[in-house]
């Protein structure tokens, strides 16, 4: 017969834990005193043989002899004091505990016999079930994440059935069901529990446990739609609470069963979550399953809405599969079950916080501060659109005051988001100073009060597409990302008939925030516009037109010669259709022909669709971890004195490897800079082998020297015709150029790159390994060890926290780029050699 992998320690500790819960505390009996004397004597004798001078084999042999003798004494005491014909039969549980604990713990086979013998002492009592209930936790802890030996366990259970009486046998079956449930075999566990409940045999304690197990196995799975409910409630904004009333927020739904041991830990998790997370993101609701008298305790422990007990509450619980047990569900803003397990963990509140941040973004006040501090209106625009998309417009009154205290931009975000909601909350006075504030104030007056005079006056310059005033208003609308039916026709007319490409591009970019069901066919003429910014903006704008003609136009845009346009068109097609067919126009066209007139455009999602698998980037090999979505790029490389000692050589090798993998369809150029920038050649060159060799030779002709001029280098790169992306690499803060300060560079780029839309990817170069001057170089450099990899990962994770990392990250974020971290090895100079040169006085 196969044996289970239950260890002696595991069984002994389980029995000890349970036995301590039912043994009545009283003065020790003569039987207990005798047992304690035997255990202490055995331990003392064994310790005497633990001397280092004693050989190991002799030591173990003598210790086994002492243990065997002590076990015989304990057995004799059990038979003497526990015999039915004894004058005063004693509770022999302490004797069995001593046999199952060190130092008397026997071999594994003998332990199994002791367990079954112990169960048969009184199998009809609740102690039998309590013992096996605790055994479940110890069994799982003993095996960890490994697969339990089910065959051995079943063999032992079968043998146990023949050796124990009915109650213990049923307890063993339920024990097997609970372990199966914890290991994910829910179907098998539910079948065992259902058999026990339907059989109706066993003590009330065991049957109740079986019903609870069946209930836990019937809970609604994660990912399923949460059933709707309508319940009376206290401490709620309205007399009734419904699931729809929590749309836009995450709901922590607690079904409280009186007497359930897990209920206390669930309440602890809810209180912790309430303390850590704002209620504008996370809502709490407790639904008691018992009668009114039983739910009084739960009501006293909560500081959030609690439903009235009764049949309606129990019916709502049954909809979630809850019966007789406490359960805690996390429901998403769109009504899906996000989480329902793991609430007894002390880290549960932190896990909930991660889920809330993933679904809702950062806490409201934290995000408002970030928006106010950012110099980029794009951050403000995306933030309030996320608020409106999630319908996060249920704000506490103090939130408005907090937003006003943070700054006008934070207050605008709440005003614009809440104006789209049916709840007309009063935002209080709006700071109308400045062009953005005046436009927000006029729009709110029209949206809330119906006063459209100021709004019409603000939009009047849109009737003159060629004027500078028209461009200024379109810029303001784009900054704020306003969604208004009055804008749709006007912006479309500007995009089609405007003579200035800057105004047309900004009008199209503003259109992407609107909602329309009309055909965008008139935009067909813009597909082959000579300025690549227009087709790119068109690919973005077409997601606002939920029409079949938008799909046809986007399929044409996927055939563009410029990778950025193709990539954006494919993203918009995925948003409109739900398909992910990569960047191949042939695949999209074939799919479109197959759909024919049956094509259906998906409704616009409240939240952005997550990117799907497929070809997303132009370059097959990342550059220092950056995946660059462009095939027309310029490398802007720092060649200042801090790049000496071989650091710049590593940068050049990375450029060579990246371009060699990119292939001749990619066009590139390079700019190296120290005190002044230097351009390799006037135009972009194909990334063939010859051009790559020439560029590498150009970069290696001189050694790094001098200060760092970032601003003039970016401007020189922008003058290269045809480019749409820049990769800036630096290891130090700028200290030359006009402007030379990081804040000034960010401001200048916001103005100079607003209409050009050149992506600026940034790489912060950090020092990797340090070698001696005569250590191997090139291909002979040893591979990176795990310790160095871990160091680099830690450094990469915190790179954005210092001044240079924060500057480069913000520069990339404001210019549609990405931020990365690279490492380059350095070689020390030989003894007596001069240090790196410097011209910076």
């Amino acid at each position: 017969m196969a044996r289970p992998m239950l260890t002696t320690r595991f069984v002994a500790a389980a029995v000890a834990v349970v036995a301590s819960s039912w043994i009545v505390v009283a003065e020790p009996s003569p039987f207990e005193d005798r047992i304690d004397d035997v255990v202490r004597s055995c331990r003392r004798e064994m310790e005497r043989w633990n001397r280092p001078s004693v050989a190991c084999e002799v030591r173990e042999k003598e210790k086994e002899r002492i243990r065997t003798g002590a076990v015989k004494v304990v057995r004799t005491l059990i038979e003497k004091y526990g015999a039915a014909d004894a004058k005063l039969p004693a509770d022999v549980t302490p004797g069995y505990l001593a046999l199952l604990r060190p130092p008397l713990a026997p071999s594994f086979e003998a332990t199994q016999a002791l367990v079954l013998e112990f169960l048969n002492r009184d199998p009809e009592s609740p102690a039998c079930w309590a013992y096996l209930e605790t055994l479940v936790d110890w069994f799982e802890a003993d095996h960890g994440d490994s697969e339990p030996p089910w065959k051995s366990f079943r063999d032992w259970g079968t043998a146990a059935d023949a050796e124990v009486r009915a109650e213990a046998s049923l307890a063993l079956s339920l024990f097997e069901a609970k372990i199966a449930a914890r290991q994910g075999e829910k179907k098998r566990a539910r079948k065992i529990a259902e058999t026990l409940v339907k059989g109706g045999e066993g003590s009330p304690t065991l049957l109740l446990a079986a019903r609870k197990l069946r209930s836990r196995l019937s809970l609604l799975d994660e990912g399923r739609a949460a059933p709707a409910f309508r319940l009376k409630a206290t401490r709620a904004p309205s007399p009734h609470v419904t699931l729809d009333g929590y749309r836009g927020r995450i709901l922590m739904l607690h079904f409280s069963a009186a007497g359930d041991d897990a209920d206390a830990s669930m309440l602890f998790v809810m209180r912790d979550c309430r303390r850590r997370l704002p209620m504008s993101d996370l809502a709490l609701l407790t639904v008691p399953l018992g009668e009114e008298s039983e739910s009084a305790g739960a009501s006293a422990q909560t500081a959030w809405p609690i439903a009235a007990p009764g049949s309606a509450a129990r019916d709502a619980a049954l909809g979630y599969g809850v019966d007789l047990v406490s359960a805690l569900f996390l429901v998403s803003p769109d009504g899906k079950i996000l989480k329902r397990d793991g609430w007894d963990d002390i880290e549960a509140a932190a896990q909930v916080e991660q889920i809330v941040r993933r679904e809702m973004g950062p806490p409201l006040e934290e995000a408002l501060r970030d928006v106010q501090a950012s110099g980029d209106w794009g951050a403000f625009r995306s933030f309030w659109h996320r608020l409106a998309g999630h319908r996060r417009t249920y704000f506490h009154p103090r939130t408005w005051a907090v937003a006003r205290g943070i700054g006008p931009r934070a207050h605008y975000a709440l005003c614009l988001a809440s104006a789209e909601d049916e709840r007309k909350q009063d935002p209080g006075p709006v700071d109308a100073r400045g062009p953005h504030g005046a436009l927000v104030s006029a729009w709110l007056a029209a949206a809330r009060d119906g006063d459209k005079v100021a709004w019409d006056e603000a939009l009047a310059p849109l009737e003159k597409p060629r004027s500078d005033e028209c461009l200024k208003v379109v810029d303001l609308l784009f900054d704020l990302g306003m969604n208004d039916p009055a804008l749709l026709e006007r912006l479309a007319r500007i995009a089609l008939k405007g003579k200035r490409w800057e105004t047309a591009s900004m009008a199209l970019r503003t259109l992407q925030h609107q909602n329309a069901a009309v055909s965008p066919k008139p935009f067909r003429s813009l597909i082959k516009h000579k300025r690549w910014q227009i087709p790119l903006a068109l690919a973005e704008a077409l997601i606002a037109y939920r029409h079949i003609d938008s799909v046809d136009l986007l399929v044409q845009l996927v055939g563009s010669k410029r990778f950025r346009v193709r990539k954006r068109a494919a993203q918009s097609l995925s948003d409109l259709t739900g398909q992910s067919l990569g960047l191949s126009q042939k695949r999209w066209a074939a799919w479109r022909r197959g759909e024919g007139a049956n094509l259906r455009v998906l409704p616009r999602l409240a939240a952005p669709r997550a990117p799907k698998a497929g070809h997303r980037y132009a370059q097959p090999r990342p550059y220092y971890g950056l995946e660059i979505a462009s095939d027309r790029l310029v490398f802007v490389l720092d060649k200042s004195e801090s790049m000496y000692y071989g650091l710049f050589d590593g940068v050049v090798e990375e450029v060579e490897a990246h371009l060699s993998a990119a292939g001749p369809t990619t066009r590139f150029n390079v700019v190296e800079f120290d005190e002044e920038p230097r351009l390799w050649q006037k135009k972009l060159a194909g990334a063939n082998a010859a051009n790559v060799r020439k560029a590498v030779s150009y970069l290696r002709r001189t050694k790094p020297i001098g200060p760092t001029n970032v601003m003039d280098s970016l401007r020189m790169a922008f003058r290269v015709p045809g480019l749409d992306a820049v990769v800036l690499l630096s290891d130090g803060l700028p200290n030359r150029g006009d402007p030379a300060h990081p804040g000034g560079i960010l401001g200048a780029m916001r103005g100079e790159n607003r209409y050009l839309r050149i992506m600026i990817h940034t790489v912060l170069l950090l020092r990797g390994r340090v070698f001696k001057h005569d250590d191997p170089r090139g291909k002979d450099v040893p591979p990176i060890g795990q310790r160095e990899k871990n160091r680099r990962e830690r450094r990469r994770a915190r790179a954005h926290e210092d001044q240079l990392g924060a500057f480069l990250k913000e520069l990339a974020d404001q210019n549609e780029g990405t931020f990365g971290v690279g490492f380059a090895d350095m070689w020390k100079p030989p003894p007596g050699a001069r240090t790196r040169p410097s011209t910076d006085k």
Side-chain angles (χ1 to χ4, degrees), residues 396-409:
H396 293 285
R398 73 178 185 87
T399 308
W400 296 96
V402 169
R404 284 194 295 271
I406 292 174
R409 193 177 299 188

Side-chain angles (χ1 to χ4, degrees), residues 245-286:
Y246 292 103
R247 296 278 176 165
R249 287 190 290 169
I250 291 181
L251 171 64
M252 184 170 277
L253 183 58
H254 172 222
F255 294 99
S256 176
D260 192 342
D261 295 336
D263 199 60
S265 63
M266 293 178 185
L267 287 172
F268 172 80
V269 170
M270 296 181 75
R271 283 193 292 268
D272 199 10
C273 291
R274 185 176 184 272
R275 177 180 58 82
R276 297 172 63 160
L277 296 167
M279 292 300 99
S280 57
D281 293 346
L282 179 70
L284 307 178
L285 176 64
T286 291

